Amino acid sequence: MKNPWNDCFATAGLVHWKRIILATMLSAFVSCSDSQSSITAEQLDFGSPMRTRLLTADQYTNSIAQVFGEDIASSVLPPIPPMARTDGLLASGTAFVGVTSDQVSQIQQAAASIAAQVVDQDHRDFLIPCAPEAKEAADSSCAALFIKESGRLLFRRPLSDSRLVDLVRIADYAAEQTDDFYDGLSLALEAMLISPDFIFIVDRAEVAPDAPDQRRLDAFSLASRLSFLLWNAPPDEILLQEAEAGALHTQEGLTNAVDRMLGSARLEFGVRAFFDDLMAFDEFDSLAKDPVVYPMVTGTTLEHAREQTLRTIVDHLVDQESDYRDLFTTRKTFMSMQLAAVYDTPAGEGWSPFEFDEDGPRLGLLTHVSFLAANSHSVRSSPTLRGKALRETFLCQRVPDPPPDVDFSSLEDAEDAATAKERLAVHNTNPSCAGCHLITDPMGLSLENFDGAGRFRETENGASLDIAGELDGIFYDDIAGLAKATRNHPKLSACLINRLYAYGTGGPVSLRDDRDMLAGFEDRFVENEYKLPALLRDIALSHAFSHVRSVESEVKIRDTLRIKAPAERAESANALAKMEEE
Amino acid sequence: MKKLVQRLSRRRFLKGALKGGAVSIGLPLLNVFLNDNGTAYANGTPIPLRFGTWSWGLGMSESIFVPKKTGANFDLPEEIAALAKVQEHLNLYTNFHVFQDDAPNLCHHSGWVVLRSGIAPTARANLPGETIDVSIARHIGNATRFKSLSATATGDVRDSFSYEGGNSVNTPEWSPLRFYQRLFGEGFQDPNASTFTPDPKVMVRQSALSAVQEEARKLEKSLGAEDRARLDQYFTGLRDLERRFDLQLSKPDPREACVVLEEPMDLPTGLEADLVATRHRMMTDLMIMAVACDQTRVFNMFYASAFSATTQPGYDKPHHTATHEEAVNPELGYQPYTSWFTRRAIEEWAYYVQALADFKEGDGSLLDNSFVYATTDQSFAKLHAIDGIPMFSAGTAGGRVKTGLHIDGGGSPGCRLGFTAQKLMGLEIDTWGDKSNTTSSEIGDILVS
């Protein structure tokens, strides 16, 4: 898609990124040069919504691992409820999910288990930076040292003096009650681990000193946003120090910090987490195949299928810095012995690079066992589920629910159909079914050479398979054609950007408010040859990522754009104004 | 399972208690603690009333599910024939309706949401109000370690019909091993232990919680209204936790039937019907012991989801797919495979009821002191019908409910059973439900006058 602001952007560079975002928004009304010259400081106040996110289960585990070690982290099941998938991402559900009383009790149980291990004989010498004067008594100094440092890491910002005093008091009181310094310390740590400051990632904003009418994330909130986007983990010591020094609020400091994080080996974890979420791989936590129909598919097979795809993605996007679109056509992947039976290929121990045959039917993510098996029934394939997943996961299109009053009687006639295509053909005889099935089935049927476990098959029930199909006007004859049509789909890049920005800012994008900004990211993505690290860098360094959107500025921008703010926005403005008065 | 045996005079009363130090209690700890009627402990404390839910997916095959006869001694058509042994303990409710009014009929969603919350949802993501178990737990669940417990036989942590609000679902226990560890691991106090020593850590935890709440209150000021509400909910959870800590400082009342079970093996994932049944029975046994040990008085068991994907080995359609794609056999008058899945569900419902009935408490059973409310999501799933949605109850709620009855609702709201359940549990409400699902009419036929 050609954006009229491309030329502006090319000359503006990152330093003027925030100007460009606004300029893009105003594109319908003014020319490039006019817009830049007419931008005022007020109009630059455009950012992302402030959010309060619950840690995800992986983020909880990663936080504990980062502060206290992987052995302790892996000994406790993260006490985090399942998220509602929101706009395609579990991560976007974290900004809305509530915590029930029962969940709080699970959080306490996990906290008690972690705290007890941190102070036990095996760990205390490594994890506690001092020894008490007497093990049987309180030692405020030593307790303060431990609490100050671990609290800073857990809360992702320094503890206030009053908070530190309170926690040391708890440790001292507990040590007196239990006659044990370490028990006291563990109870203070428990209190930290059940604190909302740990469990929730809270965006906190402040007035930008050089632009008093704008609100930016405070340095520690920005550090958290960066590290959870890029590493799926809390800020490390260096990032916290950069936040403390104010470096993240300078262009140079922020750029250095982002570049360091992008260059870290930990980027892999962030990329894995994002794609695991995007591809709804949480399904694998409860996925199973009928052992009678698919005897070679065990729980381990499915675990490896998930891992294969994540390895492929990380290698392609991070290690090779290749074109994102080529993920849908690449024959390069990784193979393990556990997967080899499903792929009908020899394999050695462990994981090794693997390339599908040049003339074979496998190419790209859509032909991975993970995609094929996760979007099938336990006993048979499902072209509808596969087509739906393709559209919703990679193209951000929404396939509607089936209508409630569907007459399924025509399906009964298809009971003896040999192939899925014949079965699904009956949907087209019913207008209320056809609407949705025509959206999903043509491309899903093109994957019918793979059964419900993702194994290749020439035929289904002895009948040959017609896998020719169509994806949004592109007709093709085979799987390679579908792969190519997906790779070149005009919505593919925009969808990735939509989801990645939502993932980084902790909630769904607003197509009304963010549309033009996202288009700006897409232009940059094209310029950068569809490389993910460059896209991550653009998002992380963008004005919107580090600034929060005030309701007043939204109204102002809308007025500029002659878009009338709806009543509910006005209500929110009033609510915010009232809150700020308080 | 170990059995506690030997019946002693109920007049032997154990004294002692107990804050602050070790307390010795003579053994054995049997129903010496009960009055002569077996309805209360010897100190006059009544045996607690419990509320449970149970759920299955995808309704019924009406022609072989709904008995011809109403009232007592109703016939058991073939789809519910497995209930023969427990018929005396339960009631079946048919011809009750769920009303969508101006909300859409959300396939496999509207039915269960209305029966559990009283309100028709407006979208699939919409979980209006709160579920009946949450309301009841707020009333009767404050004296136990867990306000309520939920478990699922599907092995999927996302499967729950219990929620506090739209975005706050009560997470079910999905693994037998994890469920066991939660019940009998850290924090478990054996009510029948011979000694009791209050844990000084608990007192510290209480005061630490106050500090946590006080400090975090400051956080709230920077949040918008919705996030503030979420944080308030978190504080409610912390206050609830404080109450639970308080309970841990007192010696729990002895519980005759409470026995610490052996740690179970965990099970593989999967929804093959036999595997689901095994998981259901393991979770049931744990749940019932949790109730018997008075760890909770509100308990939710989830046999299958609304889109039940239970499978039959060798049959190529999971349950949900079968409901839509399988033809009604003209000779039989129903869908044979679909019915097979429903029969498996009813077998598990029978197991559940029997397990509660077999658990002795006083002169009766756990079931006698419980009321279990069982619902599904559709009546005839093939057509996504919610008219005539079937329901069950089990237990007499401490002698307040007559059982063994088939009740014809005559097209009245299915919410009447939920309303009745809440009244039985002591909730002071005059009506329940929204719009056409509103009711102020208990199902009088089941109430002991």
Side-chain angles (χ1 to χ4, degrees), chain A residues 324-362:
Chain A
Y324 166 68
R325 299 170 304 164
D326 291 344
L327 268 178
F328 296 88
T329 52
T330 182
R331 293 183 190 271
K332 290 181 178 173
T333 184
F334 293 83
M335 190 58 65
S336 74
M337 189 180 282
Q338 286 78 1
L339 274 179
V342 186
Y343 283 104
D344 195 22
T345 185
E349 289 281 351
W351 286 97
S352 53
F354 185 85
E355 196 151 348
F356 295 126
D357 288 344
E358 188 62 34
D359 301 325
R362 304 241 187 212

Side-chain angles (χ1 to χ4, degrees), chain A residues 39 85 102 132 150 162 167 176 238 403 438 458 516:
Chain A
I39 291 171
R85 187 164 289 279
D102 181 59
S150 56
S162 63
L167 287 163
E176 288 161 13
I238 295 173
L438 286 174
E458 289 283 2
D516 295 326

Side-chain angles (χ1 to χ4, degrees), chain A residues 183-198:
Chain A
D183 279 350
L185 208 55
S186 80
L187 286 159
L189 176 55
E190 247 185 77
M192 287 192 273
L193 291 169
I194 61 173
S195 167
D197 291 288
F198 171 58

Side-chain angles (χ1 to χ4, degrees), chain A residues 563-582:
Chain A
I563 299 170
K564 191 177 177 183
E568 66 266 28
R569 288 291 181 180
E571 282 175 16
S572 299
N574 292 336
L576 182 71
K578 191 178 172 193
M579 189 185 78
E580 286 176 344
E581 281 173 14
E582 288 171 1

Side-chain angles (χ1 to χ4, degrees), chain A residues 423-442:
Chain A
R423 266 199 310 279
L424 290 170
V426 301
H427 286 114
N428 298 331
T429 65
N430 182 336
S432 64
C433 300
C436 292
H437 280 277
L438 286 174
I439 295 173
T440 56
D441 296 354

Side-chain angles (χ1 to χ4, degrees), chain A residues 37-286:
Chain A
S37 62
S38 65
I39 291 171
T40 67
E42 284 181 351
Q43 288 171 328
L44 289 173
D45 177 16
F46 187 75
S48 46
M50 280 178 72
R51 292 194 166 103
T52 298
R53 293 182 270 166
L54 188 68
L55 285 175
T56 66
D58 282 348
Q59 288 167 352
Y60 182 96
T61 299
N62 292 344
S63 299
I64 299 302
Q66 187 161 308
V67 184
F68 301 122
E70 288 191 5
D71 63 328
I72 292 177
S74 61
S75 72
V76 175
L77 277 171
I80 303 296
M83 306 295 166
R85 187 164 289 279
T86 304
D87 244 20
L89 291 174
L90 296 177
S92 289
T94 60
F96 306 100
V97 68
V99 181
T100 65
S101 292
D102 181 59
Q103 203 68 51
V104 172
S105 89
Q106 294 189 44
I107 289 169
Q108 190 275 328
Q109 278 191 304
S113 174
I114 291 164
Q117 292 182 72
V118 168
V119 303
D120 71 17
Q121 297 278 3
D122 294 337
H123 294 94
R124 63 177 59 154
D125 292 344
F126 303 100
L127 297 176
I128 301 170
C130 51
E133 285 194 13
K135 183 182 162 302
E136 301 78 17
D139 183 332
S140 301
S141 302
C142 185
L145 203 58
F146 171 77
I147 290 168
K148 187 175 182 181
E149 191 46 37
S150 56
R152 175 171 168 271
L153 295 172
L154 290 169
F155 294 171
R156 305 173 286 274
R157 61 177 62 237
L159 270 62
S160 67
D161 291 343
S162 63
R163 189 70 172 276
L164 180 61
V165 167
D166 282 347
L167 287 163
V168 171
R169 196 176 289 147
I170 289 170
D172 288 351
Y173 172 62
E176 288 161 13
Q177 294 295 312
T178 59
D179 296 325
D180 190 308
F181 167 80
Y182 290 107
D183 279 350
L185 208 55
S186 80
L187 286 159
L189 176 55
E190 247 185 77
M192 287 192 273
L193 291 169
I194 61 173
S195 167
D197 291 288
F198 171 58
I199 295 294
F200 290 98
I201 305 167
V202 181
D203 287 341
R204 298 185 212 207
E206 62 190 15
V207 173
D210 55 346
D213 57 341
Q214 293 184 42
R215 286 161 64 78
R216 67 185 186 188
L217 287 175
D218 76 13
F220 297 103
S221 293
L222 178 55
S224 287
R225 204 179 254 200
L226 288 169
S227 62
F228 284 115
L229 166 63
L230 299 175
W231 293 347
N232 199 34
D236 65 356
E237 179 58 36
I238 295 173
L239 191 56
L240 283 175
Q241 284 177 11
E242 288 169 337
E244 278 163 339
L248 300 184
H249 282 145
T250 69
Q251 192 67 41
E252 184 185 0
L254 180 60
T255 305
N256 289 340
V258 168
D259 285 343
R260 178 182 74 88
M261 297 177 79
L262 287 170
S264 162
R266 301 177 73 188
L267 181 63
E268 173 183 341
F269 303 126
V271 172
R272 271 176 169 264
F274 168 70
F275 279 96
D276 198 82
D277 189 350
L278 180 77
M279 296 186 72
F281 278 176
D282 56 310
E283 287 293 331
F284 280 92
D285 294 338
S286 54

